[in-house]
Amino acid sequence: MVKIYINDREIEVKEGTTVFHAALDAGIPIPHFCYHPAFAPEGTCRMCLVEVEGMPKLELACSLQIREGMKIFTQNERVREARRGVLEFLLAEHPLDCPICDQAGDCKLQDYYEEYGLFDSRFSEVKDKRGKKIRLGKYLLHDQERCVLCRRCVRFLREVTGTGEMGVFERGGHTKVDTYEEGQQVDNNYSGNLAQLCPVGAITDTDFRFQTRSWFLEAGESICPLCSRGCRITIQAHRGFARFKLPKRVYRIKAVDDPLVNGPWICDKGRYGYSYLDENRATRILKKGESSPDWQEAIDWLSASILRLKHRNRLERVSVVLSSRLSNEELFLAKKLFKDDLGVGRVFFADAPPEEGDDMLLTPDRVPNTRGARELGWEDVPVDMEALNRETDLLLMFGPDFENAHSLSDILGCFEQIETTVLLTPFDGSLSSQVDLLLPTTPVAEKAGSLTNIDGVLRNFQPALPALGHSRAEWSLLIDLGKALDLRFQYYSRLSSPEAVFQEMTGEIPFFEKNVE
Amino acid sequence: MIKQFGYFLEIVKGSLITTRHFVVNMFFHILNLVGIKTKRKGAVTRQYPEAPIEVARRHRSLHRLMLREDGKPRCVVCMLCATVCPSECIFIEATEDPDPEIQKYPSNFIIDLNRCCFCGFCVEACPEDAIRMDTGEVELARYSRGDLVYDLEKLTG
Amino acid sequence: MSDILILLIKIVAALVWFLVLTLYLTWLERKESAIMQDRIGANRADFFGIRVIGLFQPFADAIKMMFKEDFTPTFSRRFIHNLAPFVAFFFTAVTVQAIPFGDVLRVGGKEIKLQVLDIDVGILFILAMLSFTVYGVLLSGWASNSRWTLLGGLRGTAQLVSYEVALGLSLIGLVMVFPSLRFSSIVNYQGELLFGWLPQWGILLQPLGFIVFLFASLAESERVPFDLPEGESEIVGFFTEYSGLKWGLYMFTSFMKVLLIACLLTTLFFGGYHVPWLNPDGFHFPWGGEWLLPHGIVVLFQIIMFNVKVIFFCWLQILIRWTYPRFRYDQLMDFGWKFLVPLSVINIVATAIVMTLLK
């Protein structure tokens, strides 16, 4: 450990770190454009200048290694003056089109100008015209006028994706970032990260373009459920206006740095595939096609149906179709309830069919919790339509994947033999009106729990959005069903939250015990 | 007793005041009635609908959206007005403009005057001087709420 | 036969005069209060586009009241509830028949008194009729079956009954001076001259009696300084549960009382229809001048004089109503019982002493 002083404060830091990280750990952020923890320090933006005692010039915080007894000043007048100078030169060519720039509100240049600048421009010259609204990829637009030449995008494309479509051209005041070939497109699955990387509005999403302004959005952290990588994301949703109905809640998804899972990146599939959160959602309880708002009644009806079979000793004719979209807790509760307490006849798993993954983040699974299901002892038994047809009186289906995997006529043909069919799904489909009971549930973004990713990394999540309509999280449903069945009332009453269920899980299954964060 | 006499005096004084007002006002009313013009009038009342009151130049009245020289609205949908609006009565929808210098223009701009409190914050916030409250229009009574929801066409027209 | 016809004409004429003047009293009140307060007052009611300084306003009001919903509360005593405003209205309207509008009119050898009921007990008749109006207050308050209107009715009754004492006592001095209860005699006594030049009006002989009568009668009319039975803006009063035309009747009754009080003040204290120094054959001025007039003109002068005096007192009452704030209830009772009643007793005693000394 090394002792240094930042703004006359004594701080102990690990040897070998940079001034930037030492200050960040001490809670002193240093302004920067070009530095990004995923890349080696580049030192092009000159925004992170700090004063170090004994050094004649200001030093770059991002690349300066700390030494014993170093005295660093990050906020004195000399440093602020230098930053103001940097900003003035950046703004000399920066178009002040913040009103139409989608980065406004998230923009580092705006923030630093508020903090260090607040000057009137001294440049009376006409600003250079450069390329605006250049199509850079399926989801990207490039505006060269707004660029501050931090080269984050260039480095990302060279170091992370390895495709290297972009580079820096010309020199001096004419320097610009551009693609090597005219009209070249960044078309890999990670292009969306460029928009998130860009500290200003030079590279922006077409998906978010002009949809709303960033300060209307409220962010909530969650886990991307679209593949079994389980990337950590933040879901940015509009809180809505009092009088005007907005077409959707979720406007944008951004990556959150999680070194063990996804690093600072996410793929475009997860970034732009959020429409499922607002579209085609099941929001109402449907009993034989009729809407009813009463959850208790629905659960009582379901438990009564199960108990009727139990009294006739026909529980082996109950089938359950589970889904790997469920969280660890829910799969655990399902195991307790259906296997241990009820002993139902058959448990199947219906998951979305695997698709092609890539060698970076995207995995072939299109459901988030295959690994968790395996660790919990569930076997991946595909749905046996024949068995359903012949040996089932009551069918409980979780998730939308069962109905997606089979044609409606097959499913309906199968249902003819089944007395009671119950569907628990967040999404509205053609099956919704065909089942005896539809219980609207929540996707990952609207509930709490934990997921195990493909590498066995366990991650907790909290609701990032409020549950839509009458929908409810599956874990609470399963607990209520357990209580209503009155098999082990005490046991299910104790499990009042996902945390309590997780506690129970860690006691029983060693995998989760060693994974406790 | 003296105190009560004091009250009595005040009562008399009070009625003298009202009598004075009556007599003086009546005098001017009669002068006006027989056609003699006087500077002073018998009443301070303004006969409003017949004689409309000029609103002050800086009075905050009905909004209007300013236009560019080519007739497009000046608004660039920065939504600062919708952000600052305390009654959340402004709703704007943005569309892509083919001109890369403009880029963004409103396809719909709704001000719900039912909710508007005429604070003028939208005018203060606008960076483009696209919205003003200087029409002098203050008679905003309508027979239905829907008529008070002003859209882009009504606001520019 | 012709006597009965003349009587009928007289009755109808007096009633029409009374009602029309009352109707315009509402207009007068609006206009006068407006002018006092630097406003213009009601001037919008138009009749085919003609607006004559709001003169059509009373008709507009009446039409509005007619078409308003006539609401009777559930659980009210429906019959009495409907009856009460008519009681108040009738007993007030009937009083006008005792008021003399002028002296005798001679038409073709016939002598017609310009007064409907020239009875011996004129003053008592009017006091009695006024006492009956208390029933209007009491019954409406009770029949509405609301505790607030009941309380309002009780307040009103207590006030009316209390001030009737002072009202009656204040007139005793007058009756002692002009030894008659008959209105026509009292007016004629006032036509005589004191010291040969001063009209012998009631106010000169009975100044104290006039003050007591003025205040007591204001209280009887239940208007602003004394509007405790029904203070429109603050106090829930006895006719709160009335609407439409029945409410209008109460309002109308209250204005009729104003007019009635103006008539009584004129008749009892200001010489009634007498114009100073106007004798049946014309003016005889005390400084020796003479201006002889035909009989018809004299009667016309008298009627005009009576109306001018009445309208002046209406104006005065409205002025008072729009100038002063309301009494508190205990102050009201104190004022009636501890001030006006003793004052009127003092007035009686003083009058008696003076009359004895002057005899």
Side-chain angles (χ1 to χ4, degrees):
Chain A
M1 298 297 266
V2 180
K3 200 179 280 180
I4 58 165
Y5 301 87
I6 300 180
N7 297 346
D8 296 329
R9 219 171 98 195
E10 189 184 308
I11 291 158
E12 290 218 341
V13 290
K14 259 191 262 161
E15 231 163 318
T17 52
T18 56
V19 172
F20 183 89
H21 279 289
L24 199 65
D25 290 345
I28 303 166
I30 290 175
H32 59 283
F33 291 112
C34 68
Y35 180 71
H36 191 279
F39 310 122
E42 174 120 333
T44 51
C45 73
R46 319 306 285 183
M47 196 63 199
C48 62
L49 290 169
V50 290
E51 187 178 352
V52 180
E53 205 177 77
M55 295 204 181
K57 285 183 172 180
L58 299 178
E59 292 292 326
L60 289 173
C62 65
S63 56
L64 184 66
Q65 300 260 320
I66 52 141
R67 282 196 314 273
E68 175 72 40
M70 214 178 209
K71 286 204 168 89
I72 301 154
F73 299 95
T74 66
Q75 285 291 341
N76 67 12
E77 197 39 54
R78 202 173 149 210
V79 172
R80 293 181 71 89
E81 181 62 37
R83 287 176 187 162
R84 190 159 34 235
V86 171
L87 283 173
E88 190 164 8
F89 278 123
L90 285 177
L91 288 167
E93 287 295 329
H94 192 91
L96 296 179
D97 57 358
C98 302
I100 58 165
C101 177
D102 282 316
Q103 190 77 5
D106 297 334
C107 180
K108 285 201 157 130
L109 193 56
Q110 271 187 336
D111 295 348
Y112 298 151
Y113 175 77
E114 283 292 317
E115 200 178 342
Y116 299 104
L118 294 177
F119 47 75
D120 288 328
S121 178
R122 284 183 282 175
F123 293 94
S124 53
E125 292 81 3
V126 178
K127 290 178 180 179
D128 248 8
K129 287 263 175 267
R130 294 164 201 227
K132 281 184 98 72
K133 239 171 102 173
I134 303 165
R135 194 91 199 176
L136 196 60
K138 194 177 166 199
Y139 299 110
L140 297 178
L141 275 181
H142 189 198
D143 186 319
Q144 287 172 343
E145 286 183 358
R146 294 178 189 154
C147 182
V148 294
L149 301 173
C150 69
R151 293 183 8 106
R152 277 180 176 188
C153 46
V154 176
R155 283 179 285 162
F156 175 82
L157 291 173
R158 278 185 196 156
E159 294 174 23
V160 181
T161 64
T163 46
E165 289 93 340
M166 294 173 87
V168 183
F169 299 90
E170 311 282 345
R171 313 192 68 179
H174 301 290
T175 318
K176 64 178 184 188
V177 169
D178 207 344
T179 50
Y180 282 99
E181 288 161 34
E182 178 92 27
Q184 197 177 352
Q185 301 286 297
V186 180
D187 62 353
N188 59 56
N189 192 27
Y190 295 87
S191 64
N193 290 305
L194 287 178
Q196 189 178 346
L197 263 180
C198 187
V200 290
I203 299 178
T204 48
D205 285 340
T206 49
D207 177 67
F208 182 64
R209 187 168 168 85
F210 303 163
Q211 293 297 303
T212 183
R213 305 310 307 263
S214 66
W215 53 81
F216 289 119
L217 302 177
E218 274 167 12
E221 270 195 25
S222 186
I223 289 177
C224 177
L226 296 183
C227 80
S228 58
R229 178 69 56 187
C231 301
R232 193 153 270 279
I233 52 168
T234 149
I235 296 175
Q236 301 197 343
H238 201 299
R239 63 186 152 77
F241 291 113
R243 194 56 188 249
F244 304 102
K245 196 162 163 39
L246 292 170
K248 55 184 181 177
R249 296 182 297 168
V250 179
Y251 277 84
R252 188 157 66 167
I253 283 181
K254 283 195 166 190
V256 176
D257 194 1
D258 189 338
L260 281 179
V261 181
N262 56 319
W265 325 118
I266 57 172
C267 69
D268 288 357
K269 248 189 164 48
R271 187 183 295 270
Y272 300 115
Y274 53 80
S275 60
Y276 71 90
L277 288 169
D278 289 312
E279 287 169 9
N280 290 328
R281 286 289 303 274
T283 53
R284 289 179 307 169
I285 303 167
L286 289 177
K287 208 158 97 186
K288 300 213 158 67
E290 277 183 29
S291 174
S292 115
D294 193 347
W295 267 104
Q296 195 54 50
E297 192 206 321
I299 287 172
D300 287 346
W301 186 85
L302 176 57
S303 70
S305 312
I306 296 173
L307 287 174
R308 244 195 327 274
L309 288 172
K310 184 177 178 332
H311 293 322
R312 285 168 19 207
N313 278 329
R314 302 185 70 168
L315 275 177
E316 77 278 1
R317 289 185 67 86
V318 173
S319 293
V320 179
V321 178
L322 287 176
S323 161
S324 298
R325 289 171 191 258
L326 299 177
S327 70
N328 293 327
E329 287 81 358
E330 286 153 357
L331 288 169
F332 176 75
L333 281 168
K335 193 178 170 198
K336 283 278 145 200
L337 192 62
F338 299 128
K339 264 208 163 139
D340 299 357
D341 290 345
L342 284 172
V344 301
R346 285 160 195 276
V347 177
F348 303 107
F349 259 79
D351 286 335
E355 285 169 35
E356 208 175 320
D358 61 25
D359 50 0
M360 206 174 139
L361 294 174
L362 189 66
T363 63
D365 297 324
R366 286 297 175 267
V367 282
N369 209 19
T370 43
R371 176 75 185 263
R374 210 155 62 226
E375 296 296 341
L376 277 159
W378 287 112
E379 286 160 36
D380 187 6
V381 187
V383 180
D384 182 353
M385 293 295 273
E386 198 59 23
L388 280 187
N389 205 350
R390 280 181 287 107
E391 296 164 16
T392 302
D393 285 342
L394 189 144
L395 175 61
L396 262 171
M397 293 162 287
F398 285 85
D401 294 324
F402 175 63
E403 63 174 301
N404 290 346
H406 300 88
S407 72
L408 187 65
S409 57
D410 282 0
I411 298 174
L412 289 181
C414 174
F415 279 4
E416 275 175 15
Q417 306 293 321
I418 303 174
E419 226 171 81
T420 316
T421 51
V422 181
L423 178 61
L424 298 91
T425 177
F427 305 113
D428 208 10
S430 49
L431 204 53
S432 302
S433 50
Q434 306 293 335
V435 291
D436 294 320
L437 183 64
L438 173 84
L439 299 175
T441 58
T442 52
V444 169
E446 294 171 12
K447 64 187 173 191
S450 69
L451 292 170
T452 316
N453 91 339
I454 192 163
D455 299 328
V457 183
L458 195 75
R459 284 289 178 261
N460 292 318
F461 55 88
Q462 292 299 321
L465 297 168
L468 198 68
H470 287 137
S471 59
R472 255 175 81 174
E474 285 96 336
W475 62 265
S476 74
L477 274 175
L478 287 167
I479 290 171
D480 278 2
L481 184 62
K483 284 196 249 178
L485 285 169
D486 212 7
L487 297 168
R488 283 195 293 159
F489 189 82
Q490 288 289 319
Y491 180 80
Y492 289 107
S493 302
R494 203 152 42 77
L495 303 174
S496 57
S497 67
E499 288 76 22
V501 179
F502 191 78
Q503 283 291 322
E504 189 69 29
M505 266 161 70
T506 51
E508 270 184 47
I509 299 164
F511 171 81
F512 293 104
E513 198 173 11
K514 68 175 197 277
N515 245 308
V516 173
E517 284 168 73
Chain B
M1 189 65 204
I2 288 167
K3 201 174 158 192
Q4 266 144 25
F5 186 69
Y7 288 156
F8 186 73
L9 261 186
E10 292 305 317
I11 285 171
V12 172
K13 269 166 79 179
S15 59
L16 284 179
I17 288 172
T18 46
T19 313
R20 192 188 74 224
H21 271 262
F22 179 82
V23 171
V24 170
N25 289 334
M26 201 65 198
F27 174 70
F28 286 107
H29 276 308
I30 288 169
L31 280 190
N32 281 327
L33 208 63
V34 298
I36 299 167
K37 288 272 170 283
T38 50
K39 204 171 163 206
R40 189 178 156 175
K41 296 273 179 282
V44 294
T45 312
R46 288 181 187 231
Q47 298 285 358
Y48 164 61
E50 290 92 7
I53 294 165
E54 290 262 313
V55 295
R57 207 164 54 82
R58 297 181 56 183
H59 182 89
R60 294 194 293 269
S61 46
L62 177 67
H63 315 68
R64 67 173 169 140
L65 285 180
M66 307 300 291
L67 299 175
R68 294 172 200 270
E69 277 161 15
D70 59 359
K72 283 187 202 161
R74 269 193 208 167
C75 175
V76 295
V77 204
C78 66
M79 301 248 207
L80 287 181
C81 49
T83 307
V84 80
C85 181
S87 43
E88 291 193 1
C89 68
I90 303 179
F91 179 76
I92 319 169
E93 246 172 36
T95 306
E96 189 85 37
D97 193 294
D99 184 350
E101 291 302 313
I102 299 176
Q103 295 200 26
K104 199 177 179 186
Y105 81 98
S107 61
N108 204 355
F109 194 114
I110 295 173
I111 297 182
D112 187 346
L113 292 172
N114 296 296
R115 282 178 76 88
C116 179
C117 62
F118 292 90
C119 61
F121 284 3
C122 47
V123 181
E124 297 287 325
C126 187
E128 303 282 329
D129 191 21
I131 186 167
R132 289 190 190 168
M133 291 176 80
D134 60 353
T135 50
E137 180 72 40
V138 289
E139 289 156 338
L140 292 168
R142 298 288 185 276
Y143 284 102
S144 76
R145 284 164 203 272
D147 290 350
L148 277 172
V149 179
Y150 273 56
D151 58 6
L152 189 65
E153 201 177 313
K154 272 175 151 178
L155 286 166
T156 49
Chain C
M1 183 61 210
S2 66
D3 284 349
I4 292 171
L5 196 70
I6 287 167
L7 188 66
L8 273 177
I9 290 171
K10 281 203 291 191
I11 290 173
V12 170
L15 212 56
V16 166
W17 175 84
F18 198 51
L19 295 183
V20 169
L21 219 57
T22 309
L23 204 56
Y24 274 92
L25 208 52
T26 62
W27 175 82
L28 182 71
E29 168 144 28
R30 289 177 150 202
K31 280 301 205 188
E32 185 185 335
S33 61
I35 292 168
M36 273 164 61
Q37 297 169 348
D38 300 350
R39 296 186 283 115
I40 287 179
N43 67 343
R44 297 266 151 183
D46 64 31
F47 188 69
F48 294 114
I50 307 163
R51 294 177 183 174
V52 192
I53 54 173
L55 275 178
F56 296 117
Q57 189 66 39
F59 295 104
D61 289 344
I63 290 167
K64 180 199 78 173
M65 262 183 261
M66 269 183 244
F67 285 102
K68 277 184 114 167
E69 185 189 358
D70 185 8
F71 179 78
T72 316
T74 340
F75 304 119
S76 62
R77 305 288 193 283
R78 192 170 284 264
F79 176 71
I80 299 174
H81 187 270
N82 288 335
L83 181 71
F86 293 97
V87 170
F89 178 80
F90 173 77
F91 287 112
T92 317
V94 90
T95 50
V96 75
Q97 311 294 3
I99 304 290
F101 293 85
D103 208 352
V104 181
L105 176 68
R106 278 188 294 274
V107 183
K110 246 187 150 44
E111 292 202 345
I112 304 166
K113 268 191 182 162
L114 294 180
Q115 184 184 14
V116 184
L117 267 181
D118 190 17
I119 47 176
D120 282 345
V121 288
I123 289 178
L124 291 183
F125 170 75
I126 284 195
L127 289 179
M129 289 301 122
L130 275 180
S131 299
F132 271 118
T133 61
V134 174
Y135 284 102
V137 175
L138 191 59
L139 291 179
S140 68
W142 175 72
S144 299
N145 195 26
S146 149
R147 60 198 75 174
W148 312 114
T149 61
L150 181 63
L151 285 174
L154 290 178
R155 272 202 312 276
T157 311
Q159 177 184 328
L160 292 180
V161 169
S162 303
Y163 278 80
E164 253 166 33
V165 176
L167 196 73
L169 284 176
S170 69
L171 290 178
I172 289 179
L174 191 87
V175 175
M176 286 159 78
V177 177
F178 309 125
S180 172
L181 291 168
R182 187 191 280 264
F183 277 114
S184 55
S185 330
I186 290 173
V187 172
N188 283 334
Y189 278 120
Q190 293 183 73
E192 290 170 15
L193 296 178
L194 207 59
F195 318 124
W197 59 273
L198 190 61
Q200 183 184 294
W201 287 2
I203 185 163
L204 297 173
L205 304 179
Q206 285 287 315
L208 211 53
F210 168 71
I211 289 169
V212 175
F213 183 82
L214 180 68
F215 287 136
S217 56
L218 283 176
E220 284 287 307
S221 73
E222 296 165 6
R223 282 156 62 84
V224 155
F226 303 97
D227 68 337
L228 287 107
E230 173 87 31
E232 289 117 0
S233 48
E234 298 95 358
I235 312 170
V236 179
F238 59 91
F239 62 89
T240 303
E241 301 290 355
Y242 285 85
S243 63
L245 214 51
K246 284 191 285 180
W247 177 86
L249 273 184
Y250 271 114
M251 222 50 212
F252 204 72
T253 307
S254 136
F255 277 103
M256 284 205 301
K257 277 189 177 171
V258 172
L259 190 56
L260 175 70
I261 288 159
C263 290
L264 287 177
L265 283 168
T266 307
T267 312
L268 296 175
F269 292 97
F270 285 85
Y273 50 77
H274 273 294
V275 188
W277 312 301
L278 180 67
N279 289 358
D281 55 348
F283 285 100
H284 293 274
F285 300 111
W287 51 88
E290 261 187 10
W291 184 24
L292 297 179
L293 293 165
H295 172 72
I297 303 290
V298 170
V299 173
L300 195 67
F301 259 114
Q302 286 174 339
I303 291 175
I304 288 171
M305 194 65 195
F306 177 78
N307 279 295
V308 166
K309 285 174 183 171
V310 164
I311 288 167
F312 171 78
F313 283 110
C314 289
W315 174 85
L316 186 70
Q317 286 183 70
I318 292 169
L319 185 87
I320 289 167
R321 186 221 186 286
W322 286 90
T323 303
Y324 300 122
R326 180 182 303 133
F327 276 91
R328 209 169 59 209
Y329 202 74
D330 60 322
Q331 292 170 340
L332 177 89
M333 282 297 157
D334 280 0
F335 186 70
W337 288 106
K338 295 184 186 170
F339 182 71
L340 290 184
V341 171
L343 208 62
S344 51
V345 172
I346 289 169
N347 181 42
I348 295 166
V349 173
T351 310
I353 290 170
V354 170
M355 282 176 72
T356 319
L357 288 178
L358 287 178
K359 197 169 267 177

